[in-house]
Amino acid sequence: EQTAQVLETSTTRLVAGLQDPQADPTARWRLAGWEEAINSFLSNPIMGTGFGEPFDWYSGRALVENRPHNTYLTIQLKTGLTGIGPFLFIVLSFYIYALRAFWQAAALQHKAVLLALIAAHAGLSVFGFFNLLLESPYLAIFYWGIMGVLVAVEQRRLDFSRQGMVG
């Protein structure tokens, strides 16, 4: 009964926050941080603010000294276009490679592994829009690791194909 109540309250709050983000204190806090991150980026769009510079903003009357809880805005804020550009190139190249590998794979088992890796990485990528993903090694290792595993799996399949083995 208590679990059902907690679930209902959480679901109601989530739906209300999606319908009206300004009514949800957490969404309002994030939106204020994102707005400040974009404004800070626009003051130095080429090089960004740098890694040693603190990031803070006001949420209501409170001074918040924290990252904007959006990995991509953090990269853009700290490194400018010189950092976010290569980052996006690497990630988009990975997804193009991964999707090509998926469509070219003949074995159902190989397709399933590729699809699982693509889905896991996409899930982490979406998470990065709303939280800290690459700012610490605890989640970043999975983000980059999944990319490496997918490339290794596909390269192994290609090696088997070249040798005339089924893969």
Side-chain angles (χ1 to χ4, degrees):
E1 169 113 4
Q2 187 178 8
T3 303
Q5 180 63 35
V6 169
L7 183 60
E8 182 181 343
T9 302
S10 298
T11 303
T12 302
R13 183 173 171 210
L14 175 65
V15 170
L18 290 172
Q19 290 174 338
D20 183 12
Q22 292 302 325
D24 180 2
T26 302
R28 192 171 50 244
W29 179 86
R30 287 178 198 274
L31 291 172
W34 295 352
E35 181 179 8
E36 185 58 35
I38 291 168
N39 289 336
S40 294
F41 161 75
L42 292 174
S43 69
N44 194 354
I46 304 299
M47 298 302 290
T49 62
F51 287 105
E53 293 297 314
F55 176 71
D56 54 25
W57 76 93
Y58 281 93
S59 178
R61 294 182 188 167
L63 178 64
V64 178
E65 297 180 76
N66 202 337
R67 293 177 198 94
H69 279 64
N70 179 317
T71 287
Y72 313 109
L73 278 179
T74 300
I75 294 170
Q76 182 176 314
L77 169 70
K78 296 296 184 179
T79 64
L81 294 173
T82 58
I84 195 70
F87 172 80
L88 291 175
F89 176 78
I90 290 168
V91 173
L92 291 174
S93 296
F94 164 75
Y95 279 111
I96 291 168
Y97 179 87
L99 292 172
R100 279 186 185 152
F102 176 78
W103 292 116
Q104 291 174 358
L108 187 58
Q109 183 179 9
H110 189 71
K111 277 187 174 290
V113 169
L114 291 173
L115 184 60
L117 291 168
I118 292 167
H121 195 272
L124 284 172
S125 295
V126 170
F127 177 81
F129 279 104
F130 303 101
N131 221 320
L132 309 175
L133 174 63
L134 301 177
E135 289 84 344
S136 78
Y138 303 111
L139 291 173
I141 193 167
F142 294 107
Y143 186 84
W144 298 114
I146 289 169
M147 292 172 80
V149 168
L150 187 140
V151 170
V153 165
E154 178 58 10
Q155 288 300 308
R156 184 168 181 186
R157 184 191 70 80
L158 293 173
D159 289 345
F160 282 156
S161 294
R162 283 187 210 108
Q163 296 171 5
M165 303 166 88
V166 176

